[in-house]
Amino acid sequence: MQDLTMFFRKYLTPEEKTAVVMVAMEAMTNAGRHDVLAASKMLGMILKFCQPEIGKVPEIIKYIYRNMSSFTEATAQETIKRVIHLLAENYTDEVILTLFEIDSWRGAHKPWEILASFPKGYEVIMEHLLQRLTARRRSWAQEPRGGVEISPLIATRALRELLLEPSQRVEVHAFFSPLFVALLLQASSLLGAGATEAFWGQQHLADWTDPVSCTVEALRTLMTSAGYGDHVSYIEKLGGWELLASPERHLEGVALLARAMVTKNCWHSCPIFGLVVGILQDLDHENHLTALTFMTELLQCPDVAAMVDKVMLRILASWLQCEEPAAVKLLLRAVEVFVKHGNMGKQLRALQPYVLNCCYSADGGVVAETFQLLRYLVEHLTWQDSSSFLIQLAFTLGPFLEEESEHLRLEAFEVYGAVLAKVRRRVLVFPLKHQVLNLLVLLVLHLEDVSVHVAQISRPALCHTATILGWWKLRVIFAKKDVWTILRALLEQEASKALWFLKQSVTLFKSPQAPIRQAAVWFAGQIIQTLSTEEAREAEDAYTALRCMRGDPDPMVSSLATQTFYVLEAMGTRPVTTPTSCFCCRRPRRGYF
């Protein structure tokens, strides 16, 4: 037997080896028991120890299945099964393609049953199919049609056929996570532009259902085989499988799939999350939106959220800085999930600077999402744990309180009001106190905001400002009086801050709202009249700005500026020298909405 094995391995060509295998199998169909045993032993030896190059593998597989009923001896049946497994392990692609051909024969023995019967062989085949699903693919349209390498879609169909057999549960669980991710991403790829047509061009696909449905069905079968039947039913009730196959609503299906895993406590959520985050290391990955959507929903699971380490935070921060609005919005939702868990302060602190940077996005939708998140953050964070972030936020909000967009301005005022509500007198130290005072005139003047909602928010914000500053008399005035009365009282009580108030008023000369510019011009005139000669010299820029306001496009503002200018000249409060340039030109408008 050893001599025969060596001769078989060294001296026969692949075609000759095929002939020997065929002769041995023919002998195994013989009625003589001794011939069957001898042929079985010989075939088992030469294939077990040689693992030779064998030609015409499809012919061997087809012969076996045509003559399956002729292998009556138990020894012969066992040998034939091992032959199939050996060929499947070494010539997986050819065997799979042949099995699909056999599957179409009328009355043929079901071909996948034997392939799924050996745990070790099952594991090898699963590994091979996974490689075909996850390998960096060549362009589908350029894939060679006459080759033996199976396409990802054929691998998908083979995987489903194997999973439909009584499964090796341990092996299915071992490969569940990578197979799940591979199938999900393949479904997304197939829904991309041109992908489906290229898949239709593959060989052996003419009589199959469409590739997307095939992939989604394989994913469903994988979950059922792994014991997640409840998850499958839950997704089905909510229409998740149809959403996954829909080009328009695919990401909704992805989110629902992940949500089901969280709701039903899927054991594989953590390993799948690790794989998905690994995919996101590639910022150019074609299915990054699928991965981000799935990751965001999985983070709802506390065990998954606890996995977020420094490496993962760097990946998330990179995506928060990308220029794709859809991706950034998903990351902002992920940050909100961190807040909901309540024990992820470290992760939140690492991402907060990137969240603040999203306020300056060129996309209006991202800015709106960011301000909604900021409001949620302020409402749920404590001052003790997040004081530095809240102070930084107060400085960030300043320019947005004067935004031309009413919606964005309202969002900014709501967030600032929420920040002020968290401040107490004992924590009002520099630089926060400086910023609170720096926005004081702006809050007063926005009582004249064209938006009723902004004006309504400004008053309680003013009252809380007075409380934390200890201005008890002014607080009463802030709560009830009109803008003009408030400004007079403010200037009277805090006369030492007159130049500071003047600077704030001049800044508001650039406001896009005429009522606010009008109030700013009036207040600036009132302040300049109270300045000493030395202080007036420091107000040269304000005087020049006021002179420029005589050309304001709003007649009420320009008229008030002209009158104020003449009054100041008549009172002799005009500075000795004035700059030659005017700095109060209108600022560029930001087109968020």
Side-chain angles (χ1 to χ4, degrees), residues 477-517:
I477 297 173
F478 287 172
K480 298 180 180 179
K481 302 299 181 179
D482 59 75
V483 172
W484 320 104
T485 304
I486 291 173
L487 290 175
R488 289 193 191 95
L490 184 62
L491 184 58
E492 180 181 346
Q493 178 171 315
E494 298 296 324
S496 62
K497 299 181 177 64
L499 284 175
W500 195 355
F501 293 155
L502 178 60
K503 182 179 179 181
Q504 294 177 42
S505 298
V506 171
T507 300
L508 290 168
F509 287 179
K510 305 173 187 178
S511 173
Q513 299 184 56
I516 291 178
R517 296 199 303 274

Side-chain angles (χ1 to χ4, degrees), residues 246-487:
S246 168
E248 296 80 16
R249 304 182 65 185
H250 174 68
L251 291 179
E252 291 181 46
V254 172
L256 181 57
L257 185 62
R259 209 172 300 131
M261 300 185 78
V262 174
T263 303
K264 296 293 183 179
N265 298 316
C266 176
W267 183 85
H268 289 90
S269 293
C270 288
I272 288 175
F273 176 77
L275 292 172
V276 170
V277 173
I279 290 168
L280 291 173
Q281 287 181 311
D282 179 7
L283 295 179
D284 296 321
H285 196 283
E286 63 174 341
N287 295 314
H288 59 273
L289 287 180
T290 297
L292 286 169
T293 301
F294 202 85
M295 177 207 70
T296 302
E297 292 295 336
L298 277 187
L299 282 171
Q300 301 280 355
C301 174
D303 292 339
V304 171
M307 292 177 61
V308 178
D309 55 17
K310 291 182 179 179
V311 175
M312 293 181 180
L313 284 173
R314 283 197 294 269
I315 295 172
L316 299 184
S318 298
W319 281 103
L320 272 171
Q321 299 174 77
C322 79
E323 297 181 357
E324 185 177 3
V328 176
K329 289 177 183 178
L330 287 168
L331 263 298
L332 292 173
R333 292 173 195 167
V335 174
E336 183 177 336
V337 173
F338 288 168
V339 182
K340 291 179 179 178
H341 285 301
N343 59 347
M344 302 190 70
K346 184 177 180 181
Q347 291 87 339
L348 280 171
R349 284 190 291 273
L351 294 176
Q352 282 164 356
Y354 302 99
V355 172
L356 288 177
N357 191 54
C358 291
C359 292
Y360 304 100
S361 171
D363 183 83
V366 170
V367 176
E369 291 269 357
T370 303
F371 273 91
Q372 290 177 14
L373 173 62
L374 290 173
R375 185 177 180 183
Y376 186 84
L377 286 171
V378 174
E379 289 175 354
H380 290 82
L381 296 178
T382 63
W383 184 268
Q384 182 179 0
D385 295 332
S386 306
S387 58
S388 60
F389 168 69
L390 294 172
I391 292 172
Q392 188 179 2
L393 177 57
F395 278 87
T396 302
L397 289 171
F400 295 95
L401 298 174
E402 270 294 293
E403 273 301 331
E404 187 170 358
S405 162
E406 181 176 329
H407 178 77
L408 181 56
R409 192 168 68 254
L410 177 60
E411 291 275 4
F413 267 89
E414 287 176 342
V415 175
Y416 184 62
V419 172
L420 285 177
K422 286 189 173 292
V423 179
R424 298 293 180 268
R425 290 193 66 185
R426 64 178 182 274
V427 300
L428 189 65
V429 295
F430 185 85
L432 180 59
K433 184 176 182 180
H434 179 278
Q435 182 64 356
V436 168
L437 286 169
N438 204 43
L439 295 176
L440 182 60
V441 174
L442 182 146
L443 283 179
V444 176
L445 266 57
H446 272 277
L447 293 174
E448 293 289 302
D449 198 292
V450 294
S451 169
V452 176
H453 299 294
V454 172
Q456 289 173 343
I457 294 175
S458 297
R459 195 171 292 276
L462 270 174
C463 293
H464 196 76
T465 299
T467 300
I468 60 180
L469 290 171
W471 295 350
W472 308 115
K473 292 182 179 179
L474 282 176
R475 189 185 189 286
V476 176
I477 297 173
F478 287 172
K480 298 180 180 179
K481 302 299 181 179
D482 59 75
V483 172
W484 320 104
T485 304
I486 291 173
L487 290 175

Side-chain angles (χ1 to χ4, degrees), residues 528-539:
I528 293 175
Q529 293 178 48
T530 65
L531 298 179
S532 65
T533 304
E534 185 64 28
E535 289 174 328
R537 292 193 183 98
E538 298 181 34

